[in-house]
Coordinates of all heavy atoms in Angstrom, one line a residue:
M6 N 0.8 -1.2 0.0 CA 0.0 0.1 0.0 C 0.8 1.3 0.0 O 1.9 1.3 0.7 CB -0.9 0.0 1.3 CG -2.0 -1.1 1.4 SD -3.2 -0.9 0.1 CE -4.2 0.2 1.0
A7 N 0.4 2.2 -0.7 CA 1.1 3.5 -0.7 C 1.0 4.2 0.6 O 0.0 4.0 1.3 CB 0.6 4.5 -2.0
D8 N 2.1 4.9 1.0 CA 2.0 5.7 2.1 C 1.2 7.0 1.9 O 1.7 8.0 1.3 CB 3.4 6.0 2.8 CG 3.3 6.7 4.0 OD1 2.3 6.9 4.5 OD2 4.4 7.0 4.5
Q9 N 0.1 7.1 2.5 CA -0.8 8.3 2.2 C -0.7 9.4 3.3 O -1.4 10.3 3.4 CB -2.2 7.9 2.1 CG -2.6 7.0 1.0 CD -2.5 7.7 -0.5 OE1 -3.0 8.7 -0.6 NE2 -1.8 7.0 -1.4
S10 N 0.2 9.1 4.3 CA 0.2 9.9 5.5 C 1.0 11.3 5.3 O 0.7 12.2 6.1 CB 0.9 9.1 6.7 OG 2.2 8.8 6.3
K11 N 1.8 11.3 4.3 CA 2.5 12.5 4.2 C 1.6 13.6 3.4 O 0.8 13.3 2.6 CB 3.7 12.3 3.2 CG 4.9 11.8 3.9 CD 6.2 11.9 2.9 CE 6.2 10.8 2.0 NZ 7.3 10.8 1.1
P12 N 1.8 14.8 3.9 CA 0.9 15.9 3.4 C 1.3 16.1 2.0 O 2.4 15.9 1.6 CB 1.2 17.2 4.2 CG 2.5 16.9 4.9 CD 2.5 15.4 5.0
A13 N 0.5 16.6 1.0 CA 0.7 16.7 -0.4 C 1.8 17.8 -0.5 O 2.6 17.6 -1.4 CB -0.5 17.3 -1.1
T14 N 1.9 18.7 0.3 CA 2.9 19.8 0.2 C 4.3 19.3 0.2 O 5.4 19.7 -0.3 CB 2.9 20.7 1.3 OG1 2.7 20.3 2.5 CG2 1.7 21.7 1.1
A15 N 4.6 18.0 0.8 CA 5.8 17.4 0.8 C 6.4 17.0 -0.4 O 7.6 16.9 -0.7 CB 5.8 16.1 1.8
D16 N 5.5 16.9 -1.4 CA 5.9 16.4 -2.9 C 6.1 17.6 -3.7 O 6.5 17.4 -4.9 CB 4.8 15.5 -3.3 CG 4.6 14.2 -2.7 OD1 5.7 13.8 -2.2 OD2 3.6 13.8 -2.3
M17 N 5.9 18.8 -3.2 CA 6.1 19.9 -4.2 C 7.6 20.1 -4.5 O 8.5 19.7 -3.6 CB 5.6 21.3 -3.5 CG 4.1 21.4 -3.4 SD 3.6 22.8 -2.7 CE 1.8 22.7 -2.8
A18 N 7.9 20.5 -5.8 CA 9.2 20.5 -6.3 C 10.1 21.5 -5.4 O 11.2 21.3 -5.1 CB 9.3 20.8 -7.7
Q19 N 9.6 22.7 -5.3 CA 10.3 23.8 -4.7 C 9.9 23.7 -3.2 O 8.8 23.3 -2.8 CB 9.9 25.2 -5.1 CG 10.1 25.5 -6.6 CD 9.5 26.8 -7.0 OE1 8.2 26.9 -7.0 NE2 10.3 27.7 -7.3
S20 N 10.8 24.1 -2.3 CA 10.4 24.2 -0.9 C 9.7 25.4 -0.6 O 10.1 26.5 -1.0 CB 11.8 24.1 -0.1 OG 12.6 25.2 -0.3
A21 N 8.7 25.2 0.0 CA 7.8 26.4 0.5 C 8.5 27.1 1.6 O 9.1 26.6 2.5 CB 6.4 26.0 0.9
K22 N 8.3 28.5 1.5 CA 8.8 29.3 2.6 C 7.7 29.8 3.5 O 6.6 30.1 3.0 CB 9.4 30.6 2.0 CG 10.8 30.2 1.2 CD 11.4 31.6 0.6 CE 12.7 31.3 -0.1 NZ 13.1 32.4 -0.9
T23 N 7.9 29.9 4.8 CA 6.9 30.2 5.7 C 7.3 31.6 6.1 O 8.4 32.0 6.4 CB 7.0 29.3 7.0 OG1 6.8 28.0 6.6 CG2 5.9 29.6 8.0
A24 N 6.2 32.4 6.2 CA 6.3 33.8 6.7 C 5.2 34.2 7.4 O 4.1 33.5 7.5 CB 6.6 34.7 5.5
S25 N 5.1 35.4 8.1 CA 4.0 35.9 8.8 C 3.8 37.4 8.3 O 4.6 38.1 8.1 CB 4.0 35.7 10.3 OG 5.1 36.5 10.7
A26 N 2.5 37.9 8.5 CA 2.2 39.3 8.1 C 1.0 39.7 8.8 O 0.3 38.8 9.4 CB 2.0 39.3 6.6
T27 N 0.8 40.9 8.8 CA -0.5 41.5 9.4 C -1.1 42.3 8.2 O -0.4 42.9 7.3 CB -0.1 42.6 10.4 OG1 0.5 41.7 11.6 CG2 -1.4 43.1 11.1
G28 N -2.4 42.3 8.2 CA -3.2 43.0 7.1 C -4.6 43.1 7.5 O -5.1 42.6 8.5
T29 N -5.3 43.6 6.4 CA -6.8 43.8 6.6 C -7.5 42.9 5.6 O -7.1 42.8 4.3 CB -7.1 45.2 6.4 OG1 -6.5 46.0 7.3 CG2 -8.7 45.4 6.5
V30 N -8.4 42.0 5.9 CA -9.2 41.3 5.0 C -9.9 42.2 4.1 O -10.8 43.0 4.6 CB -10.2 40.2 5.9 CG1 -11.0 39.4 4.8 CG2 -9.3 39.4 6.7
E31 N -9.8 42.0 2.8 CA -10.5 42.8 1.8 C -11.8 41.9 1.3 O -12.9 42.6 1.0 CB -9.6 43.1 0.7 CG -8.5 44.0 0.9 CD -8.8 45.4 1.2 OE1 -9.7 46.0 0.4 OE2 -8.3 46.0 2.2
A32 N -11.6 40.7 1.3 CA -12.6 39.9 0.7 C -12.5 38.4 1.0 O -11.3 38.0 1.3 CB -12.7 40.0 -0.8
V33 N -13.5 37.7 1.2 CA -13.4 36.2 1.4 C -14.3 35.5 0.4 O -15.3 36.0 0.0 CB -14.0 35.9 2.9 CG1 -13.0 36.3 3.9 CG2 -15.4 36.2 3.0
D34 N -13.7 34.5 -0.3 CA -14.2 33.8 -1.3 C -14.3 32.3 -1.0 O -13.3 31.6 -1.3 CB -13.6 34.1 -2.6 CG -14.4 33.5 -3.8 OD1 -15.2 32.6 -3.6 OD2 -14.1 34.0 -5.0
A35 N -15.4 31.8 -0.3 CA -15.5 30.5 0.0 C -15.5 29.4 -1.1 O -14.9 28.5 -1.1 CB -16.8 30.2 0.9
A36 N -16.1 29.9 -2.2 CA -16.2 29.0 -3.4 C -14.8 28.8 -4.0 O -14.5 27.7 -4.4 CB -17.2 29.6 -4.4
A37 N -13.9 29.9 -4.0 CA -12.7 29.8 -4.6 C -11.6 29.3 -3.5 O -10.4 29.0 -3.8 CB -12.2 31.1 -5.2
G38 N -12.0 29.2 -2.2 CA -11.0 28.9 -1.2 C -10.0 29.9 -1.0 O -8.8 29.5 -0.8
K39 N -10.4 31.0 -0.9 CA -9.4 32.3 -0.9 C -9.8 33.4 0.0 O -10.9 33.6 0.0 CB -9.3 32.8 -2.4 CG -8.0 32.8 -2.9 CD -8.0 33.2 -4.4 CE -8.8 34.6 -4.6 NZ -8.6 35.1 -6.0
I40 N -8.9 33.9 0.7 CA -9.0 35.1 1.4 C -8.1 36.3 0.8 O -7.0 36.0 0.7 CB -8.7 34.9 2.9 CG1 -9.5 33.9 3.5 CG2 -8.8 36.3 3.7 CD1 -9.0 33.5 5.0
T41 N -8.8 37.4 0.4 CA -8.0 38.5 -0.2 C -7.6 39.3 1.1 O -8.5 39.9 1.8 CB -8.8 39.2 -1.2 OG1 -9.1 38.3 -2.2 CG2 -7.9 40.3 -1.9
I42 N -6.3 39.6 1.3 CA -5.8 40.4 2.3 C -4.9 41.6 1.8 O -4.0 41.3 1.0 CB -5.0 39.5 3.2 CG1 -5.8 38.5 3.8 CG2 -4.4 40.5 4.3 CD1 -5.1 37.5 4.7
A43 N -5.1 42.8 2.2 CA -4.2 43.9 2.0 C -3.2 43.8 3.2 O -3.4 44.2 4.2 CB -5.0 45.2 2.0
H44 N -1.9 43.2 2.8 CA -1.0 43.0 3.7 C 0.2 44.0 3.8 O 0.5 44.6 2.8 CB -0.5 41.6 3.7 CG 0.4 41.2 2.6 ND1 1.6 41.7 2.4 CD2 0.0 40.6 1.4 CE1 2.1 41.2 1.3 NE2 1.2 40.5 0.6
G45 N 0.9 44.1 5.0 CA 2.0 45.0 5.0 C 3.2 44.3 4.4 O 3.1 43.2 3.9
P46 N 4.4 44.9 4.4 CA 5.5 44.3 3.9 C 6.0 43.0 4.6 O 5.7 42.8 5.8 CB 6.7 45.4 4.2 CG 6.0 46.7 4.4 CD 4.7 46.2 5.0
V47 N 6.5 42.0 3.8 CA 6.8 40.8 4.4 C 8.4 40.6 4.1 O 8.8 40.3 3.1 CB 6.2 39.5 3.6 CG1 6.6 38.3 4.4 CG2 4.6 39.7 3.8
D48 N 9.2 41.1 5.2 CA 10.6 41.2 5.0 C 11.3 39.8 4.7 O 12.2 39.7 4.0 CB 11.1 41.6 6.4 CG 10.9 43.1 6.6 OD1 10.5 43.8 5.5 OD2 10.9 43.6 7.7
A49 N 10.7 38.7 5.3 CA 11.2 37.3 5.1 C 11.3 36.9 3.7 O 12.0 36.1 3.2 CB 10.6 36.3 6.0
L50 N 10.3 37.5 2.8 CA 10.2 37.1 1.5 C 10.6 38.3 0.3 O 10.6 38.1 -0.7 CB 8.8 36.7 1.1 CG 8.2 35.6 2.0 CD1 6.8 35.2 1.7 CD2 9.1 34.3 1.7
G51 N 10.9 39.4 1.1 CA 11.1 40.6 0.2 C 10.0 41.1 -0.5 O 10.1 41.7 -1.4
W52 N 8.8 41.0 0.1 CA 7.5 41.3 -0.6 C 7.2 42.8 0.0 O 7.3 43.1 1.2 CB 6.4 40.5 -0.2 CG 6.4 39.2 -0.8 CD1 7.2 38.7 -1.7 CD2 5.3 38.1 -0.7 NE1 6.9 37.3 -2.1 CE2 5.6 37.1 -1.5 CE3 4.1 38.1 0.0 CZ2 4.9 35.9 -1.7 CZ3 3.3 37.0 -0.2 CH2 3.7 35.9 -1.0
P53 N 6.7 43.7 -1.0 CA 6.3 44.9 -0.5 C 4.8 44.8 0.0 O 4.3 43.7 -0.2 CB 6.3 45.8 -1.8 CG 6.1 44.8 -2.9 CD 6.8 43.4 -2.3
A54 N 4.3 45.9 0.7 CA 2.8 45.8 0.9 C 2.0 45.6 -0.4 O 2.4 46.2 -1.3 CB 2.5 47.2 1.7
M55 N 1.0 44.9 -0.3 CA 0.1 44.6 -1.4 C -1.1 43.9 -1.1 O -1.4 43.6 0.1 CB 0.8 43.8 -2.5 CG 1.0 42.2 -2.1 SD 1.7 41.2 -3.2 CE 3.5 41.3 -2.5
T56 N -2.1 44.0 -2.0 CA -3.3 43.1 -1.8 C -3.3 42.0 -2.7 O -3.1 42.2 -3.9 CB -4.5 44.1 -2.2 OG1 -4.5 45.3 -1.3 CG2 -5.9 43.3 -1.8
M57 N -3.5 40.8 -2.1 CA -3.5 39.6 -3.0 C -4.3 38.6 -2.2 O -4.8 38.6 -1.1 CB -2.1 39.1 -3.0 CG -1.4 38.8 -1.5 SD 0.4 38.3 -1.6 CE 0.2 36.5 -2.2
G58 N -4.6 37.5 -3.0 CA -5.4 36.4 -2.6 C -4.5 35.3 -1.9 O -3.4 35.0 -2.4
F59 N -5.0 34.8 -0.8 CA -4.2 33.5 -0.1 C -5.3 32.4 -0.1 O -6.4 32.5 0.2 CB -3.9 33.9 1.4 CG -2.9 35.1 1.5 CD1 -3.2 36.4 1.4 CD2 -1.5 34.6 1.7 CE1 -2.1 37.3 1.5 CE2 -0.6 35.7 1.8 CZ -0.8 36.9 1.7
K60 N -4.7 31.2 -0.5 CA -5.4 30.1 -0.3 C -5.8 29.7 1.2 O -4.8 30.0 2.0 CB -4.7 28.9 -0.8 CG -4.8 28.8 -2.4 CD -4.5 27.4 -3.0 CE -3.2 27.2 -3.6 NZ -2.9 25.9 -4.0
A61 N -6.9 29.2 1.5 CA -7.4 29.1 2.9 C -8.3 28.0 3.0 O -8.9 27.6 1.9 CB -7.8 30.3 3.4
T62 N -8.4 27.3 4.1 CA -9.3 26.2 4.4 C -10.6 26.8 4.6 O -10.7 28.0 4.9 CB -9.0 25.4 5.6 OG1 -9.1 26.2 6.8 CG2 -7.5 24.9 5.4
P63 N -11.8 26.0 4.4 CA -13.1 26.6 4.7 C -13.2 27.0 6.2 O -14.0 28.0 6.4 CB -14.0 25.3 4.6 CG -13.3 24.5 3.4 CD -11.7 24.7 3.8
E64 N -12.6 26.4 7.1 CA -12.6 26.8 8.5 C -11.9 28.2 8.7 O -12.5 29.0 9.4 CB -11.9 25.8 9.3 CG -12.5 24.4 9.6 CD -12.5 23.6 8.3 OE1 -11.5 23.8 7.5 OE2 -13.2 22.7 8.1
Q65 N -10.9 28.4 8.0 CA -10.2 29.7 8.1 C -11.0 30.8 7.5 O -11.1 31.9 8.0 CB -8.8 29.6 7.4 CG -7.7 28.8 8.2 CD -6.6 28.4 7.2 OE1 -6.6 28.4 6.0 NE2 -5.5 28.0 8.0
I66 N -11.6 30.4 6.4 CA -12.4 31.5 5.7 C -13.6 31.9 6.6 O -14.0 33.2 6.5 CB -12.9 30.8 4.2 CG1 -11.7 30.7 3.4 CG2 -14.0 31.7 3.6 CD1 -11.9 30.0 2.1
T67 N -14.2 31.0 7.2 CA -15.5 31.3 8.0 C -15.0 32.0 9.3 O -15.8 32.5 9.8 CB -16.3 30.1 8.3 OG1 -15.5 29.0 8.9 CG2 -16.9 29.5 7.0
S68 N -13.7 32.0 9.6 CA -13.3 32.6 10.9 C -13.0 34.1 10.8 O -12.8 34.8 11.7 CB -12.1 31.9 11.5 OG -10.8 32.2 10.7
V69 N -13.0 34.6 9.6 CA -12.7 36.0 9.3 C -13.8 36.8 8.4 O -14.5 35.9 7.8 CB -11.3 36.2 8.6 CG1 -10.2 35.6 9.5 CG2 -11.3 35.6 7.3
Q70 N -13.8 38.0 8.5 CA -14.7 38.7 7.7 C -14.0 40.0 7.1 O -13.1 40.5 7.6 CB -16.0 39.0 8.4 CG -15.8 39.7 9.7 CD -17.1 39.7 10.5 OE1 -18.0 40.2 10.0 NE2 -17.2 39.1 11.6
A71 N -14.6 40.4 6.0 CA -14.0 41.6 5.3 C -14.0 42.8 6.3 O -15.0 43.0 7.1 CB -14.9 41.9 4.0
G72 N -12.9 43.5 6.3 CA -12.8 44.6 7.0 C -12.0 44.4 8.4 O -11.7 45.2 9.1
Q73 N -11.9 43.1 8.7 CA -11.2 42.6 9.9 C -9.7 42.8 9.7 O -9.1 42.4 8.7 CB -11.6 41.2 10.2 CG -11.2 40.7 11.6 CD -11.7 39.3 11.8 OE1 -12.0 38.5 10.9 NE2 -11.9 39.0 13.1
K74 N -8.9 43.2 10.8 CA -7.6 43.2 10.9 C -7.1 41.8 11.3 O -7.6 41.4 12.4 CB -7.0 44.4 11.7 CG -5.5 44.6 11.4 CD -5.2 45.9 12.2 CE -3.6 46.1 11.9 NZ -3.0 47.1 12.8
V75 N -6.1 41.3 10.6 CA -5.7 39.9 11.0 C -4.1 39.8 11.1 O -3.5 40.5 10.4 CB -6.3 38.9 10.1 CG1 -7.7 38.7 10.2 CG2 -5.9 39.2 8.6
H76 N -3.7 38.9 11.8 CA -2.3 38.5 11.8 C -2.3 37.0 11.3 O -3.2 36.2 11.6 CB -1.6 38.5 13.2 CG -0.2 38.1 13.1 ND1 0.8 39.0 12.6 CD2 0.4 36.9 13.4 CE1 1.9 38.3 12.8 NE2 1.7 37.1 13.2
F77 N -1.5 36.7 10.4 CA -1.6 35.3 9.7 C -0.2 34.8 9.4 O 0.8 35.7 9.3 CB -2.5 35.3 8.5 CG -2.1 36.3 7.4 CD1 -1.5 35.8 6.3 CD2 -2.3 37.6 7.6 CE1 -1.0 36.6 5.2 CE2 -1.9 38.5 6.5 CZ -1.3 38.0 5.3
E78 N -0.1 33.4 9.3 CA 1.1 32.9 8.8 C 0.7 32.1 7.6 O -0.3 31.6 7.5 CB 1.7 31.8 9.9 CG 2.2 32.7 11.2 CD 2.6 31.8 12.2 OE1 2.7 30.5 12.0 OE2 2.9 32.2 13.3
F79 N 1.8 31.9 6.8 CA 1.5 31.4 5.5 C 2.6 30.7 4.8 O 3.9 31.1 5.3 CB 0.9 32.4 4.4 CG 1.8 33.5 4.1 CD1 2.6 33.5 3.0 CD2 1.9 34.6 4.9 CE1 3.4 34.6 2.7 CE2 2.7 35.7 4.7 CZ 3.5 35.7 3.5
Q80 N 2.5 29.9 3.8 CA 3.6 29.2 3.0 C 3.5 29.8 1.7 O 2.4 29.8 1.1 CB 3.5 27.7 3.2 CG 3.7 27.1 4.5 CD 4.1 25.7 4.4 OE1 3.5 25.0 3.5 NE2 4.9 25.1 5.3
A81 N 4.6 30.2 1.2 CA 4.6 30.8 0.0 C 5.6 30.0 -1.0 O 6.7 29.5 -0.7 CB 5.2 32.2 -0.1
Q82 N 5.1 29.8 -2.2 CA 5.9 29.2 -3.3 C 5.8 30.1 -4.5 O 4.8 30.2 -5.1 CB 5.3 27.9 -3.7 CG 5.6 26.8 -2.6 CD 5.7 25.4 -3.1 OE1 4.8 24.7 -3.3 NE2 6.9 25.1 -3.6
G83 N 6.9 30.9 -4.7 CA 6.7 32.0 -5.6 C 5.7 33.0 -5.2 O 5.7 33.3 -4.1
M84 N 4.7 33.3 -5.9 CA 3.7 34.2 -5.6 C 2.4 33.5 -5.2 O 1.4 34.2 -5.0 CB 3.3 35.2 -6.7 CG 4.4 36.2 -7.0 SD 4.8 37.1 -5.6 CE 3.5 38.0 -5.2
E85 N 2.4 32.1 -5.1 CA 1.3 31.4 -4.5 C 1.5 31.1 -3.1 O 2.4 30.6 -2.6 CB 1.2 30.1 -5.4 CG 0.0 29.3 -4.9 CD -0.6 28.6 -6.0 OE1 -1.0 29.2 -6.9 OE2 -0.8 27.3 -5.8
A86 N 0.5 31.7 -2.3 CA 0.6 31.6 -0.9 C -0.7 30.9 -0.2 O -1.8 31.1 -0.6 CB 0.7 32.9 -0.2
T87 N -0.3 30.1 0.7 CA -1.3 29.3 1.4 C -1.4 29.6 2.9 O -0.3 29.4 3.6 CB -1.2 27.7 1.2 OG1 -1.2 27.5 -0.2 CG2 -2.4 27.0 1.9
I88 N -2.4 30.0 3.5 CA -2.5 30.4 4.9 C -2.4 29.1 5.7 O -3.0 28.1 5.5 CB -3.8 31.1 5.3 CG1 -3.6 32.6 4.6 CG2 -4.0 31.2 6.8 CD1 -5.0 33.4 4.8
T89 N -1.5 29.2 6.8 CA -1.4 28.0 7.7 C -2.2 28.4 9.1 O -2.7 27.5 9.7 CB 0.0 27.8 8.0 OG1 0.8 28.9 8.4 CG2 0.7 27.1 6.8
Q90 N -2.2 29.7 9.5 CA -2.8 30.2 10.6 C -3.2 31.6 10.4 O -2.6 32.3 9.9 CB -1.8 30.1 11.8 CG -2.0 29.0 12.8 CD -1.1 29.3 14.1 OE1 -0.1 29.9 14.0 NE2 -1.5 28.8 15.1
I91 N -4.5 31.9 10.9 CA -4.9 33.2 10.9 C -5.8 33.5 12.2 O -6.5 32.7 12.6 CB -5.8 33.4 9.5 CG1 -6.1 35.0 9.4 CG2 -7.1 32.5 9.5 CD1 -6.7 35.3 8.0
M92 N -5.5 34.8 12.7 CA -6.2 35.2 14.0 C -6.4 36.7 13.9 O -5.7 37.4 13.1 CB -5.3 34.7 15.1 CG -4.1 35.6 15.2 SD -2.7 34.6 16.1 CE -2.0 33.7 14.8
P93 N -7.4 37.2 14.6 CA -7.7 38.6 14.7 C -6.4 39.4 15.2 O -5.9 38.8 16.1 CB -8.8 38.7 15.6 CG -9.5 37.3 15.6 CD -8.4 36.4 15.4
A94 N -6.2 40.5 14.8 CA -5.1 41.3 15.2 C -5.7 42.6 16.0 O -6.8 43.0 15.4 CB -4.1 41.8 14.2
Q95 N -5.1 43.2 16.9 CA -5.7 44.4 17.5 C -5.3 45.6 16.6 O -4.2 45.7 16.0 CB -5.0 44.6 18.9 CG -5.3 43.5 19.7 CD -6.8 43.3 19.9 OE1 -7.5 44.3 20.2 NE2 -7.3 42.0 19.8
Ligands
CU128 CU1 1.5 39.8 -1.2

């Protein structure tokens, strides 16, 4: 039997980089599995402040709403980013 216990990300060709940022939720799209966030600069990745979509789980998507300030951690592969943790920020 094939070992199915490894997460799919382990098979990705490039290694994903983990970073964290703070931003404001601009939109949530449950159908697309995406949260759009206007985030501040991400020094770890050399990213400037920008508004972009992050892949997120249905649980993460329902935990936030547009206009909310959030702190989040994500994994980035190039410009594709997936949220690993998201929480309200003050
Ligand atoms: Cu960005």
